[in-house]
């Protein structure tokens, strides 16, 4: 077997760009690398807006809202740092459209009595960016509107809202096939709730709204509701109905006039048919982008301009969408291969739909060489913009350093340790434990201390077996 620069666990160990290029060639991967980063500084033109460069912060849910769903000082702190970082597109994290759609009690939630708090957040982003880069610098802000579906929690406990049964995901939540599905009437009413949230987002000053349909949340789950009956399941027309009708409602609404339409959308669930979207009916979990490409065209026809395409389910198979060095399990592939799948398959859609603004992903794992991989992808026409999620919370100045210094600082980059994801899944709050340690390391230490204490109590409560008794007597 070839002597790759990664270990068998797939950890990043590249000392220079040549080592990375050598592994790409040895593994016969399609990853492109460019040392000319100028492509990432190009403005991106939309119908009525211009994104000032080709770099985006991707939505990373912080779980730091107040009891009313409004941004707190921690929320403002995060986005102020991102705005100062210089990315042309600030894609604001998942904001719930309804109480029973929140992923936890600290998720942002926009509604009639707090939209002005969201206006303050948007105003802060714009003001901070102008102060840092001049009065003509105007980062585009897109707010992500979401219903968390099966990942809805109340008081830290799962309270799933599901559109269809998926056995492996149901088992993880401890529910069975008797657990009720949301009704068609509920979904009909939810469309109006999404529209209301979009109207409030427009009042708050955001440039665009993202109708979120990724990572196993409700609108994403509907895309693979092959086994659901009624108006929202079975046929392609029914499974895409919710997403398309919400987009139509926002597009046609006078109060939403001028909003950029965007979506963060799965193209591949990595779950076998009929449990997954973007998979082959004939061969397990193999990729088949026929239906995602059909949906892309329908969305483009309706005026959707910006696409944050992604894959997988971070609650179940996180290595698919967030390749890592450390995580809850060891994947059966190297992280660089997971990255390549994201870049390659999303790139194939960008090439089929060159008029779309596709925001590429899969770069953060490459650490100080992420910009060269992003630039290589952009030069090959695999994306119109390069997006960074984990990187943006670890290294909010990433865009400034790429565009000004033509390099990322290896001492500041995300190290794909998955601690941000662990915080999110266990306490609802998410941040970089390594690079923003003053704020998030104490949270992480408290979490681990509590886990250790709980484990000690559980161990002490276990009955002593005969063999354990005998062993104690010998000592």
């Amino acid at each position: 077997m070839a002597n790759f620069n990664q270990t068998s666990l797939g950890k990043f160990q590249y000392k220079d760009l040549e080592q990375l290029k050598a592994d790409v060639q040895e593994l016969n991967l399609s990853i492109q690398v460019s040392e000319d980063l100028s492509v990432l500084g190009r403005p991106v033109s939309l119908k009525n807006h211009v994104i000032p460069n080709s770099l985006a912060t991707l939505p990373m849910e912080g779980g730091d809202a107040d009891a009313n769903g409004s941004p707190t000082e921690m929320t403002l702190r995060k986005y102020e740092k991102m705005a100062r970082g210089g990315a042309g597109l600030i894609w604001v994290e998942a904001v719930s459209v309804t109480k029973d759609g929140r992923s936890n009690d600290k998720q942002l939630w926009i509604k009639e009595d707090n939209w002005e708090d969201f206006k303050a957040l948007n105003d802060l982003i714009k003001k901070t960016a102008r102060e840092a880069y001049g009065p003509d610098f105007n980062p585009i802000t897109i707010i992500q509107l979401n219903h968390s579906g099966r990942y809805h929690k109340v008081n830290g406990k799962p309270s799933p809202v599901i559109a269809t049964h998926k056995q492996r995901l149901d088992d993880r939540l401890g529910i069975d096939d008797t657990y009720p599905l949301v009704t068609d009437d509920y979904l009909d009413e939810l469309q109006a709730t999404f529209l209301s949230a979009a109207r409030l987002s427009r009042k708050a000053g955001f440039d665009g709204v993202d109708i979120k349909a990724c990572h196993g949340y409700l609108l994403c789950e509907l895309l693979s509701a092959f086994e659901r009956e009624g108006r929202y399941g079975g046929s392609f027309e029914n499974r895409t109905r919710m997403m398309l009708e919400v987009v139509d409602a926002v597009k046609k609404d006078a109060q939403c006039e001028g909003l950029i339409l965007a979506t963060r959308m799965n193209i591949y669930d990595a779950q076998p048919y009929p449990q997954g979207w973007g998979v082959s009916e004939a061969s397990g979990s193999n990729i088949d982008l026929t239906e995602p490409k059909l949906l892309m065209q329908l969305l483009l026809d309706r005026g959707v301009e910006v696409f944050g395409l992604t894959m997988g389910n971070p609650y179940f198979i996180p290595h698919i969408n967030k390749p890592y060095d450390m995580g809850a399990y060891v994947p059966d592939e190297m992280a660089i291969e997971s990255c390549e799948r994201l870049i390659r398959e999303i790139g194939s859609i960008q090439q089929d739909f060159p008029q779309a603004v596709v925001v590429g992903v899969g770069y953060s794992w490459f650490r100080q060489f992420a910009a060269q991989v992003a630039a290589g992808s952009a030069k090959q026409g695999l994306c119109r913009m390069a997006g960074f999620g984990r990187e943006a919370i670890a290294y909010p100045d990433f865009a400034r350093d790429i565009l000004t210094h033509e390099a990322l600082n290896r001492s500041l980059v995300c190290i794909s340790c998955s601690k941000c994801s662990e915080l999110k899944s266990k306490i609802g709050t998410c941040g970089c434990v390594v690079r923003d340690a003053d704020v998030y390391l104490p949270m992480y230490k408290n979490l681990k201390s509590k886990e250790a204490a709980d484990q000690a109590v559980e161990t002490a409560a276990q009955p002593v077996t005969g063999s354990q008794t005998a062993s104690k007597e010998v000592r």
Side-chain angles (χ1 to χ4, degrees), residues 413-435:
V413 294
C414 169
I415 61 170
S416 63
C417 67
S418 299
K419 288 181 173 61
C420 59
S421 298
E422 187 179 0
L423 279 177
K424 170 67 170 64
S425 66
K426 293 179 177 178
I427 68 171
T429 298
C430 175
C432 185
V433 173
V434 177
R435 306 302 189 194

Side-chain angles (χ1 to χ4, degrees), residues 217-257:
Y217 297 116
L218 185 60
L219 269 63
C220 176
E221 183 161 278
L222 283 164
L223 296 178
S224 61
F226 293 95
E227 298 174 310
R228 180 186 173 92
E229 298 180 352
R231 288 179 7 96
Y232 292 97
S235 68
F236 174 81
E237 178 184 6
N238 285 352
R239 287 180 285 112
T240 59
R241 181 185 306 279
M242 182 72 179
M243 189 175 185
L244 293 176
E245 291 188 355
V246 169
V247 168
D248 285 342
V250 176
K251 178 70 175 179
K252 295 173 183 176
D253 188 76
Q255 295 181 50
C256 295
E257 184 177 359

